[in-house]
Amino acid sequence: MTTAPSASPDLSAVPDAELLRLDHQVCFSLHAASRAFGGYYRRALKDLGLTYSQYLVMLVLWEQGPQSVKAIGERLHLDSGTLSPLLKRLESAGLVRRERSREDERSVVIDLTDEGAELRERALSVPRGVLAATGLSLEEVLGLQEILGRLTGALGEAVDAD
Amino acid sequence: MTTAPSASPDLSAVPDAELLRLDHQVCFSLHAASRAFGGYYRRALKDLGLTYSQYLVMLVLWEQGPQSVKAIGERLHLDSGTLSPLLKRLESAGLVRRERSREDERSVVIDLTDEGAELRERALSVPRGVLAATGLSLEEVLGLQEILGRLTGALGEAVDAD
DNA sequence: CACAACTAAGTTGTGCACAACTCAATGGCG
DNA sequence: CGCCATTGAGTTGTGCACAACTTAGTTGTG
């Protein structure tokens, strides 16, 4: 798929009722797909004792090393209201450490424990299964990612420009 | 329905660590897009007093008329644990009625109140704004929907075939 | 008919998402 | 220096998602 001349003139020609139906399908599709992914991960990650969101946080830590709550939040588009309790649970599970930064006492640096770092080895087997389970080709996955990225960006801007 | 002989041979050639990174991006993209959609709707639906999920339920009722909790759940892939409290909130908001079916006393039929039916008029303006905000063309939206549908189906099967 | 298997809805408990808020540390700026 | 706006993390409250369970109604079978 090429990057289309996105301002489709068709859109304004479609009647409201039809759009309502289409809208149903689009937002529902995305909602459903996201939850289907979540459902798959719930099982795949059960052995590791991680939830889907906790897995995302661990991925960030495995890839980027120790960093502040704010940095993780920016990477995943999550705020402290979501991350604070999640990180506490990861801490109780013995996977991460939380300590106040010395340079800036406001910020808390999250670091992997040895146990958390070791978990990466076991997590390596997860994504291959997931990608296989999607039934999508590598090209489709990359295309999907591209379009979802644009979608997220555009919706984010639309909300900001409120 | 294994329509996918498209099993890309590439996939098995990609190293684990690379897949972990890609996986991060795919599941994160979907997660983020779904939440970006949610964020947009949160604002768009604020005037109507509906949440995103409540809107999905109302769409089903507007399109298909009175039906059981189970039927709504099948349409949206949601179980009673999610729907029961959600429908109670719609009931308190005066948008739906809940009454036991006479034929089968186990099932509860959800029906729109006049107020709920009237809300449809005000909801008609929402999807045009959303589709515009995505910045996607009609073709891209349809393509996205198709691929998400396949994704959801494949992941569902993979989980069932556990 | 009786009883077991099943089904629909609801309840409970855990965790995520997010708005709105508090609180302490920081960084200007007059 | 003193004051105040800003920032990072955490808390509180509401709602969704889902697993596991309960309860009541239904259906199938001997």
Side-chain angles (χ1 to χ4, degrees), chain B residues 17-130:
Chain B
E18 185 59 24
L19 274 187
L20 196 62
R21 214 178 57 76
L22 178 61
D23 177 47
H24 175 153
Q25 293 171 4
V26 178
C27 65
F28 166 68
S29 295
L30 200 53
H31 204 54
S34 178
R35 280 168 24 237
F37 241 100
Y40 186 93
Y41 274 104
R42 204 184 322 287
R43 298 196 179 215
L45 296 172
K46 202 167 187 176
D47 290 347
L48 308 189
L50 292 175
T51 67
Y52 188 36
S53 296
Q54 288 167 6
Y55 172 67
L56 291 176
V57 169
M58 292 300 283
L59 281 172
V60 171
L61 292 171
W62 286 326
E63 283 175 20
Q64 328 252 307
Q67 57 200 288
S68 68
V69 173
K70 179 178 171 52
I72 296 172
E74 278 169 356
R75 197 106 174 75
L76 298 178
H77 298 186
L78 292 173
D79 66 7
S80 66
T82 300
L83 286 175
S84 288
L86 187 157
L87 290 168
K88 278 194 181 181
R89 281 187 285 271
L90 287 180
E91 186 184 39
S92 338
L95 299 176
V96 307
R97 254 186 306 274
R98 298 182 322 128
E99 40 186 77
R100 291 267 156 204
S101 161
R102 225 90 60 222
E103 304 97 61
D104 186 341
E105 293 267 338
R106 288 172 304 181
S107 90
V108 169
V109 174
I110 309 297
D111 194 4
L112 291 167
T113 60
D114 289 347
E115 197 183 340
E118 281 162 17
L119 198 62
R120 181 170 190 276
E121 304 309 312
R122 293 212 283 145
L124 282 172
S125 66
V126 172
R128 192 177 299 278
V130 174

Side-chain angles (χ1 to χ4, degrees), chain A residues 51 53-54 78 81-82 86 89 103-106:
Chain A
T51 66
S53 295
Q54 288 167 7
L78 291 173
T82 299
L86 187 156
R89 281 186 286 270
E103 303 97 61
D104 185 342
E105 293 269 339
R106 287 171 304 180

Side-chain angles (χ1 to χ4, degrees), chain A residues 65-122:
Chain A
Q67 57 200 290
S68 68
V69 173
K70 178 177 173 53
I72 296 173
E74 277 169 359
R75 196 107 174 74
L76 298 178
H77 299 186
L78 291 173
D79 67 5
S80 67
T82 299
L83 285 175
S84 287
L86 187 156
L87 289 168
K88 278 195 179 179
R89 281 186 286 270
L90 286 179
E91 186 184 37
S92 338
L95 299 175
V96 308
R97 253 186 308 272
R98 299 166 46 236
E99 39 188 78
R100 291 266 156 206
S101 162
R102 223 90 61 222
E103 303 97 61
D104 185 342
E105 293 269 339
R106 287 171 304 180
S107 91
V108 168
V109 175
I110 308 298
D111 194 3
L112 290 167
T113 60
D114 289 346
E115 196 183 341
E118 281 162 17
L119 198 61
R120 183 171 188 275
E121 304 309 311
R122 295 211 283 144

